[in-house]
Amino acid sequence: MPCMPEVTFEQISKFVAAATERCSLDLRPETRLLHDMGLDADDAEEFLRAFAQEFSVDMTNFRFQRYFGSEADAGIRWFTRKLLGDRGVEKVPLTLQDLAAAARSGKWGPSV
């Protein structure tokens, strides 16, 4: 995989904004895909495929279930987040900063 050190947070936020129909001005490095944006299950999987393609990121080491849940449980997680906030979400947060690090290195690695 080619390394893309020139990838900036601005490029990541513009991609995320376009892919999720959000305003890029509202996105910060610490913005979390599941916890803050509600991106989960099939939507998260589709988003990550597009991200990997756009930024040439090898996602071989990415463990989806660590960060997101299945489509079958998405409704329950959404409802729990509304009631309990972050306390109701047991998944590891995946931030835009994590995406930027992966885009810069060209792969999903242990530090991400």
Side-chain angles (χ1 to χ4, degrees), residues 34 39-42 64-65 67-83 85 88-91:
L34 172 62
L39 196 60
D40 198 9
D42 289 349
F64 187 84
Q65 294 301 322
Y67 304 96
F68 304 100
S70 68
E71 190 67 23
D73 298 328
I76 292 168
R77 278 188 308 283
W78 178 87
F79 184 72
T80 304
R81 275 195 316 272
K82 291 297 181 190
L83 286 177
V89 181
E90 297 177 11
K91 298 296 182 179

Side-chain angles (χ1 to χ4, degrees), residues 9 12-14 16-17 20 22-39 47-48 67-68 86 92-101 108:
F9 179 74
I12 297 294
S13 65
K14 284 182 179 181
V16 172
T20 62
R22 296 191 184 247
C23 177
S24 64
L25 297 176
D26 295 334
L27 301 174
R28 304 279 181 258
E30 60 276 1
T31 300
R32 302 165 299 174
L33 295 178
L34 172 62
H35 299 80
D36 298 326
M37 298 179 69
L39 196 60
F47 169 83
L48 289 169
Y67 304 96
F68 304 100
D86 284 348
V92 173
L94 179 60
T95 66
L96 301 192
Q97 184 171 332
D98 296 331
L99 295 179
W108 194 265

